Amino acid sequence: MSVPHTVLTPLPAEWGRTATTVVMPTYNEAENLPMMAEALMALPLEGLRLLVVDDGSPDGTGAVAEQLAEKYHEPGRSRVAVLHRTAKEGLGRAYAAGMARAVEDGAAYVLQMDADGSHPADKIAELLGVALSTGADVVVGSRYVPGGTLSAAWGTHRRLLSRWANTYAGTILGTRLRDITGGFNLWSAAALRALDLDTVDSAGYSFQVETKYRALRAGFTVVEVPIHFEDRTVGESKMNLAVQLESVAVPWRLRARTLRAGGGRTS
């Protein structure tokens, strides 16, 4: 399900106070993280909090995150927090740990967001507004619904590969989501509790596919909102061969599990 592009900012004051945690996994993002934190803290969302999940970055990202936590500390509450992990175990594992921590700490909504600047911070209020106004359990910042766009820096090969990945996963799993692989997603705490993040198998980028698919299978409402996806300007992509192979295998594994359980098509 997609919704038309609408300008929902500024949100009503009560909505802006909604406890919302941005979970941002990092590995060697020391240059990007301060800019991302500044953009988030400047948003007119009183209830917004940033949780950095650092997998022991050798470039000192964890220390930078702690400095940001001190910088943005306010009397009675911390607007930036850090979850330190001792090893690089994959994007999916980092997200699962951070999202579970955010819910434990009282977040009503949890937003997945990359640290490389590819996801638009100025769309967060809109995603939250859509969730609160429609009752949606998951709001996907989508590159592939009408109005969604990709960075001009993306070449033809990369565009085709991204489109193919979405078509591939969507066809195997029988879902109509346009951007099932996208990583800019707002979740209700209720959906995350039901999802039982400890049981998610995917360690890498396929975490995005598995969690959305499981949400649909569980009957949660998922809507898509168009975004502009920007290209990383600093640092290197974390995509490697092992991650790509997992992304190819996961849809088939999920489909097999569904068939064993007697399930059918999702919407």
Side-chain angles (χ1 to χ4, degrees), residues 118-148:
S118 57
H119 296 147
D122 60 2
K123 293 287 283 189
I124 294 175
E126 183 175 339
L127 267 63
L128 181 59
V130 168
L132 291 169
S133 62
T134 67
D137 305 289
V138 187
V139 183
V140 177
S142 178
R143 299 163 291 181
Y144 299 124
V145 292

PDB file of all heavy atoms in Angstrom, residues 118-148:
ATOM      1  N   SER A 118      22.340   8.740   3.167  1.00  0.00           N
ATOM      2  CA  SER A 118      21.496   8.357   2.031  1.00  0.00           C
ATOM      3  C   SER A 118      20.015   8.510   2.323  1.00  0.00           C
ATOM      4  O   SER A 118      19.207   8.673   1.405  1.00  0.00           O
ATOM      5  CB  SER A 118      21.803   6.913   1.609  1.00  0.00           C
ATOM      6  OG  SER A 118      21.614   6.016   2.692  1.00  0.00           O
ATOM      7  N   HIS A 119      19.633   8.456   3.597  1.00  0.00           N
ATOM      8  CA  HIS A 119      18.218   8.593   3.973  1.00  0.00           C
ATOM      9  C   HIS A 119      17.921  10.031   4.407  1.00  0.00           C
ATOM     10  O   HIS A 119      18.677  10.607   5.181  1.00  0.00           O
ATOM     11  CB  HIS A 119      17.878   7.628   5.113  1.00  0.00           C
ATOM     12  CG  HIS A 119      18.010   6.191   4.741  1.00  0.00           C
ATOM     13  ND1 HIS A 119      18.409   5.208   5.623  1.00  0.00           N
ATOM     14  CD2 HIS A 119      17.810   5.563   3.552  1.00  0.00           C
ATOM     15  CE1 HIS A 119      18.425   4.046   5.012  1.00  0.00           C
ATOM     16  NE2 HIS A 119      18.079   4.232   3.750  1.00  0.00           N
ATOM     17  N   PRO A 120      16.821  10.601   3.937  1.00  0.00           N
ATOM     18  CA  PRO A 120      16.523  12.023   4.181  1.00  0.00           C
ATOM     19  C   PRO A 120      15.934  12.274   5.567  1.00  0.00           C
ATOM     20  O   PRO A 120      14.785  11.919   5.849  1.00  0.00           O
ATOM     21  CB  PRO A 120      15.515  12.358   3.085  1.00  0.00           C
ATOM     22  CG  PRO A 120      14.808  11.061   2.808  1.00  0.00           C
ATOM     23  CD  PRO A 120      15.832   9.986   3.030  1.00  0.00           C
ATOM     24  N   ALA A 121      16.686  12.949   6.421  1.00  0.00           N
ATOM     25  CA  ALA A 121      16.217  13.258   7.771  1.00  0.00           C
ATOM     26  C   ALA A 121      14.949  14.116   7.734  1.00  0.00           C
ATOM     27  O   ALA A 121      14.090  13.997   8.616  1.00  0.00           O
ATOM     28  CB  ALA A 121      17.309  13.978   8.560  1.00  0.00           C
ATOM     29  N   ASP A 122      14.813  14.944   6.702  1.00  0.00           N
ATOM     30  CA  ASP A 122      13.654  15.838   6.657  1.00  0.00           C
ATOM     31  C   ASP A 122      12.359  15.116   6.320  1.00  0.00           C
ATOM     32  O   ASP A 122      11.286  15.738   6.283  1.00  0.00           O
ATOM     33  CB  ASP A 122      13.895  16.990   5.681  1.00  0.00           C
ATOM     34  CG  ASP A 122      14.152  16.527   4.251  1.00  0.00           C
ATOM     35  OD1 ASP A 122      14.104  15.308   3.992  1.00  0.00           O
ATOM     36  OD2 ASP A 122      14.404  17.391   3.395  1.00  0.00           O
ATOM     37  N   LYS A 123      12.411  13.804   6.091  1.00  0.00           N
ATOM     38  CA  LYS A 123      11.198  13.031   5.837  1.00  0.00           C
ATOM     39  C   LYS A 123      10.708  12.298   7.090  1.00  0.00           C
ATOM     40  O   LYS A 123       9.642  11.670   7.072  1.00  0.00           O
ATOM     41  CB  LYS A 123      11.445  12.002   4.732  1.00  0.00           C
ATOM     42  CG  LYS A 123      11.690  12.594   3.369  1.00  0.00           C
ATOM     43  CD  LYS A 123      10.420  13.148   2.753  1.00  0.00           C
ATOM     44  CE  LYS A 123       9.533  12.050   2.194  1.00  0.00           C
ATOM     45  NZ  LYS A 123       8.403  12.576   1.402  1.00  0.00           N
ATOM     46  N   ILE A 124      11.470  12.376   8.185  1.00  0.00           N
ATOM     47  CA  ILE A 124      11.102  11.616   9.378  1.00  0.00           C
ATOM     48  C   ILE A 124       9.747  12.061   9.928  1.00  0.00           C
ATOM     49  O   ILE A 124       8.908  11.228  10.298  1.00  0.00           O
ATOM     50  CB  ILE A 124      12.198  11.738  10.446  1.00  0.00           C
ATOM     51  CG1 ILE A 124      13.480  11.058   9.964  1.00  0.00           C
ATOM     52  CG2 ILE A 124      11.735  11.114  11.770  1.00  0.00           C
ATOM     53  CD1 ILE A 124      14.659  11.216  10.900  1.00  0.00           C
ATOM     54  N   ALA A 125       9.526  13.364   9.982  1.00  0.00           N
ATOM     55  CA  ALA A 125       8.248  13.863  10.489  1.00  0.00           C
ATOM     56  C   ALA A 125       7.086  13.353   9.638  1.00  0.00           C
ATOM     57  O   ALA A 125       6.018  13.014  10.158  1.00  0.00           O
ATOM     58  CB  ALA A 125       8.250  15.391  10.524  1.00  0.00           C
ATOM     59  N   GLU A 126       7.301  13.262   8.338  1.00  0.00           N
ATOM     60  CA  GLU A 126       6.241  12.769   7.455  1.00  0.00           C
ATOM     61  C   GLU A 126       5.958  11.301   7.714  1.00  0.00           C
ATOM     62  O   GLU A 126       4.792  10.880   7.786  1.00  0.00           O
ATOM     63  CB  GLU A 126       6.618  12.978   5.988  1.00  0.00           C
ATOM     64  CG  GLU A 126       5.508  12.539   5.041  1.00  0.00           C
ATOM     65  CD  GLU A 126       5.822  12.852   3.585  1.00  0.00           C
ATOM     66  OE1 GLU A 126       6.663  13.725   3.320  1.00  0.00           O
ATOM     67  OE2 GLU A 126       5.195  12.208   2.725  1.00  0.00           O
ATOM     68  N   LEU A 127       7.003  10.489   7.858  1.00  0.00           N
ATOM     69  CA  LEU A 127       6.800   9.072   8.152  1.00  0.00           C
ATOM     70  C   LEU A 127       6.037   8.892   9.463  1.00  0.00           C
ATOM     71  O   LEU A 127       5.104   8.081   9.552  1.00  0.00           O
ATOM     72  CB  LEU A 127       8.141   8.348   8.219  1.00  0.00           C
ATOM     73  CG  LEU A 127       8.638   7.691   6.919  1.00  0.00           C
ATOM     74  CD1 LEU A 127       8.867   8.741   5.837  1.00  0.00           C
ATOM     75  CD2 LEU A 127       9.933   6.914   7.164  1.00  0.00           C
ATOM     76  N   LEU A 128       6.430   9.672  10.470  1.00  0.00           N
ATOM     77  CA  LEU A 128       5.746   9.583  11.762  1.00  0.00           C
ATOM     78  C   LEU A 128       4.306  10.065  11.639  1.00  0.00           C
ATOM     79  O   LEU A 128       3.390   9.452  12.209  1.00  0.00           O
ATOM     80  CB  LEU A 128       6.498  10.415  12.799  1.00  0.00           C
ATOM     81  CG  LEU A 128       5.925  10.418  14.225  1.00  0.00           C
ATOM     82  CD1 LEU A 128       5.868   9.012  14.807  1.00  0.00           C
ATOM     83  CD2 LEU A 128       6.755  11.334  15.131  1.00  0.00           C
ATOM     84  N   GLY A 129       4.096  11.138  10.898  1.00  0.00           N
ATOM     85  CA  GLY A 129       2.747  11.646  10.702  1.00  0.00           C
ATOM     86  C   GLY A 129       1.849  10.639   9.997  1.00  0.00           C
ATOM     87  O   GLY A 129       0.669  10.485  10.345  1.00  0.00           O
ATOM     88  N   VAL A 130       2.390   9.943   9.010  1.00  0.00           N
ATOM     89  CA  VAL A 130       1.616   8.906   8.315  1.00  0.00           C
ATOM     90  C   VAL A 130       1.249   7.783   9.279  1.00  0.00           C
ATOM     91  O   VAL A 130       0.114   7.297   9.292  1.00  0.00           O
ATOM     92  CB  VAL A 130       2.405   8.364   7.110  1.00  0.00           C
ATOM     93  CG1 VAL A 130       1.751   7.094   6.560  1.00  0.00           C
ATOM     94  CG2 VAL A 130       2.495   9.414   6.013  1.00  0.00           C
ATOM     95  N   ALA A 131       2.201   7.362  10.090  1.00  0.00           N
ATOM     96  CA  ALA A 131       1.925   6.287  11.048  1.00  0.00           C
ATOM     97  C   ALA A 131       0.825   6.692  12.027  1.00  0.00           C
ATOM     98  O   ALA A 131      -0.105   5.918  12.298  1.00  0.00           O
ATOM     99  CB  ALA A 131       3.200   5.929  11.806  1.00  0.00           C
ATOM    100  N   LEU A 132       0.912   7.908  12.541  1.00  0.00           N
ATOM    101  CA  LEU A 132      -0.042   8.352  13.546  1.00  0.00           C
ATOM    102  C   LEU A 132      -1.421   8.652  12.947  1.00  0.00           C
ATOM    103  O   LEU A 132      -2.449   8.443  13.593  1.00  0.00           O
ATOM    104  CB  LEU A 132       0.497   9.585  14.263  1.00  0.00           C
ATOM    105  CG  LEU A 132       1.719   9.334  15.163  1.00  0.00           C
ATOM    106  CD1 LEU A 132       2.329  10.654  15.617  1.00  0.00           C
ATOM    107  CD2 LEU A 132       1.331   8.490  16.376  1.00  0.00           C
ATOM    108  N   SER A 133      -1.452   9.125  11.720  1.00  0.00           N
ATOM    109  CA  SER A 133      -2.739   9.491  11.113  1.00  0.00           C
ATOM    110  C   SER A 133      -3.466   8.302  10.505  1.00  0.00           C
ATOM    111  O   SER A 133      -4.706   8.312  10.422  1.00  0.00           O
ATOM    112  CB  SER A 133      -2.527  10.569  10.043  1.00  0.00           C
ATOM    113  OG  SER A 133      -1.699  10.098   9.004  1.00  0.00           O
ATOM    114  N   THR A 134      -2.732   7.294  10.069  1.00  0.00           N
ATOM    115  CA  THR A 134      -3.366   6.140   9.419  1.00  0.00           C
ATOM    116  C   THR A 134      -3.423   4.909  10.315  1.00  0.00           C
ATOM    117  O   THR A 134      -4.158   3.966  10.010  1.00  0.00           O
ATOM    118  CB  THR A 134      -2.604   5.745   8.141  1.00  0.00           C
ATOM    119  OG1 THR A 134      -1.294   5.246   8.494  1.00  0.00           O
ATOM    120  CG2 THR A 134      -2.463   6.931   7.192  1.00  0.00           C
ATOM    121  N   GLY A 135      -2.621   4.903  11.389  1.00  0.00           N
ATOM    122  CA  GLY A 135      -2.551   3.718  12.231  1.00  0.00           C
ATOM    123  C   GLY A 135      -1.669   2.630  11.663  1.00  0.00           C
ATOM    124  O   GLY A 135      -1.693   1.490  12.140  1.00  0.00           O
ATOM    125  N   ALA A 136      -0.871   2.960  10.647  1.00  0.00           N
ATOM    126  CA  ALA A 136       0.016   1.969  10.043  1.00  0.00           C
ATOM    127  C   ALA A 136       1.042   1.479  11.054  1.00  0.00           C
ATOM    128  O   ALA A 136       1.537   2.245  11.878  1.00  0.00           O
ATOM    129  CB  ALA A 136       0.726   2.560   8.827  1.00  0.00           C
ATOM    130  N   ASP A 137       1.368   0.204  10.964  1.00  0.00           N
ATOM    131  CA  ASP A 137       2.347  -0.394  11.865  1.00  0.00           C
ATOM    132  C   ASP A 137       3.777  -0.212  11.357  1.00  0.00           C
ATOM    133  O   ASP A 137       4.725  -0.153  12.139  1.00  0.00           O
ATOM    134  CB  ASP A 137       2.062  -1.892  12.023  1.00  0.00           C
ATOM    135  CG  ASP A 137       0.646  -2.159  12.480  1.00  0.00           C
ATOM    136  OD1 ASP A 137       0.340  -1.859  13.646  1.00  0.00           O
ATOM    137  OD2 ASP A 137      -0.160  -2.650  11.665  1.00  0.00           O
ATOM    138  N   VAL A 138       3.918  -0.146  10.037  1.00  0.00           N
ATOM    139  CA  VAL A 138       5.227   0.048   9.411  1.00  0.00           C
ATOM    140  C   VAL A 138       5.063   1.068   8.289  1.00  0.00           C
ATOM    141  O   VAL A 138       4.154   0.933   7.462  1.00  0.00           O
ATOM    142  CB  VAL A 138       5.791  -1.265   8.821  1.00  0.00           C
ATOM    143  CG1 VAL A 138       7.225  -1.062   8.332  1.00  0.00           C
ATOM    144  CG2 VAL A 138       5.713  -2.411   9.822  1.00  0.00           C
ATOM    145  N   VAL A 139       5.932   2.076   8.272  1.00  0.00           N
ATOM    146  CA  VAL A 139       5.936   3.060   7.184  1.00  0.00           C
ATOM    147  C   VAL A 139       7.306   2.988   6.511  1.00  0.00           C
ATOM    148  O   VAL A 139       8.336   3.200   7.151  1.00  0.00           O
ATOM    149  CB  VAL A 139       5.660   4.488   7.689  1.00  0.00           C
ATOM    150  CG1 VAL A 139       5.613   5.461   6.499  1.00  0.00           C
ATOM    151  CG2 VAL A 139       4.348   4.550   8.469  1.00  0.00           C
ATOM    152  N   VAL A 140       7.282   2.656   5.232  1.00  0.00           N
ATOM    153  CA  VAL A 140       8.518   2.458   4.466  1.00  0.00           C
ATOM    154  C   VAL A 140       8.828   3.718   3.672  1.00  0.00           C
ATOM    155  O   VAL A 140       7.983   4.195   2.905  1.00  0.00           O
ATOM    156  CB  VAL A 140       8.366   1.261   3.499  1.00  0.00           C
ATOM    157  CG1 VAL A 140       9.619   1.102   2.637  1.00  0.00           C
ATOM    158  CG2 VAL A 140       8.075  -0.019   4.270  1.00  0.00           C
ATOM    159  N   GLY A 141      10.015   4.264   3.860  1.00  0.00           N
ATOM    160  CA  GLY A 141      10.496   5.330   2.990  1.00  0.00           C
ATOM    161  C   GLY A 141      10.919   4.700   1.685  1.00  0.00           C
ATOM    162  O   GLY A 141      11.977   4.073   1.606  1.00  0.00           O
ATOM    163  N   SER A 142      10.100   4.850   0.651  1.00  0.00           N
ATOM    164  CA  SER A 142      10.231   4.047  -0.561  1.00  0.00           C
ATOM    165  C   SER A 142      10.836   4.821  -1.729  1.00  0.00           C
ATOM    166  O   SER A 142      10.413   5.930  -2.046  1.00  0.00           O
ATOM    167  CB  SER A 142       8.850   3.515  -0.957  1.00  0.00           C
ATOM    168  OG  SER A 142       8.907   2.774  -2.160  1.00  0.00           O
ATOM    169  N   ARG A 143      11.768   4.178  -2.387  1.00  0.00           N
ATOM    170  CA  ARG A 143      12.386   4.744  -3.581  1.00  0.00           C
ATOM    171  C   ARG A 143      11.555   4.488  -4.825  1.00  0.00           C
ATOM    172  O   ARG A 143      11.756   5.154  -5.849  1.00  0.00           O
ATOM    173  CB  ARG A 143      13.778   4.122  -3.780  1.00  0.00           C
ATOM    174  CG  ARG A 143      14.742   4.370  -2.647  1.00  0.00           C
ATOM    175  CD  ARG A 143      15.933   3.406  -2.688  1.00  0.00           C
ATOM    176  NE  ARG A 143      15.529   2.037  -2.375  1.00  0.00           N
ATOM    177  CZ  ARG A 143      16.362   0.995  -2.317  1.00  0.00           C
ATOM    178  NH1 ARG A 143      17.652   1.186  -2.580  1.00  0.00           N
ATOM    179  NH2 ARG A 143      15.910  -0.209  -2.011  1.00  0.00           N
ATOM    180  N   TYR A 144      10.622   3.526  -4.742  1.00  0.00           N
ATOM    181  CA  TYR A 144      10.005   3.006  -5.954  1.00  0.00           C
ATOM    182  C   TYR A 144       8.492   3.146  -6.038  1.00  0.00           C
ATOM    183  O   TYR A 144       7.878   2.555  -6.902  1.00  0.00           O
ATOM    184  CB  TYR A 144      10.418   1.536  -6.128  1.00  0.00           C
ATOM    185  CG  TYR A 144      11.914   1.389  -6.274  1.00  0.00           C
ATOM    186  CD1 TYR A 144      12.648   0.577  -5.424  1.00  0.00           C
ATOM    187  CD2 TYR A 144      12.603   2.102  -7.250  1.00  0.00           C
ATOM    188  CE1 TYR A 144      14.019   0.459  -5.546  1.00  0.00           C
ATOM    189  CE2 TYR A 144      13.973   1.993  -7.385  1.00  0.00           C
ATOM    190  CZ  TYR A 144      14.679   1.173  -6.534  1.00  0.00           C
ATOM    191  OH  TYR A 144      16.036   1.075  -6.657  1.00  0.00           O
ATOM    192  N   VAL A 145       7.890   3.932  -5.151  1.00  0.00           N
ATOM    193  CA  VAL A 145       6.498   4.328  -5.380  1.00  0.00           C
ATOM    194  C   VAL A 145       6.524   5.652  -6.135  1.00  0.00           C
ATOM    195  O   VAL A 145       7.560   6.324  -6.181  1.00  0.00           O
ATOM    196  CB  VAL A 145       5.720   4.459  -4.046  1.00  0.00           C
ATOM    197  CG1 VAL A 145       5.535   3.110  -3.390  1.00  0.00           C
ATOM    198  CG2 VAL A 145       6.402   5.451  -3.115  1.00  0.00           C
ATOM    199  N   PRO A 146       5.418   6.055  -6.768  1.00  0.00           N
ATOM    200  CA  PRO A 146       5.401   7.338  -7.478  1.00  0.00           C
ATOM    201  C   PRO A 146       5.861   8.484  -6.582  1.00  0.00           C
ATOM    202  O   PRO A 146       5.401   8.635  -5.455  1.00  0.00           O
ATOM    203  CB  PRO A 146       3.918   7.487  -7.865  1.00  0.00           C
ATOM    204  CG  PRO A 146       3.447   6.078  -8.022  1.00  0.00           C
ATOM    205  CD  PRO A 146       4.161   5.306  -6.946  1.00  0.00           C
ATOM    206  N   GLY A 147       6.804   9.250  -7.083  1.00  0.00           N
ATOM    207  CA  GLY A 147       7.384  10.345  -6.313  1.00  0.00           C
ATOM    208  C   GLY A 147       8.723  10.006  -5.702  1.00  0.00           C
ATOM    209  O   GLY A 147       9.482  10.894  -5.321  1.00  0.00           O
ATOM    210  N   GLY A 148       9.031   8.722  -5.606  1.00  0.00           N
ATOM    211  CA  GLY A 148      10.326   8.298  -5.078  1.00  0.00           C
ATOM    212  C   GLY A 148      11.411   8.458  -6.135  1.00  0.00           C
ATOM    213  O   GLY A 148      11.171   8.245  -7.321  1.00  0.00           O
TER     214      GLY A 148
END
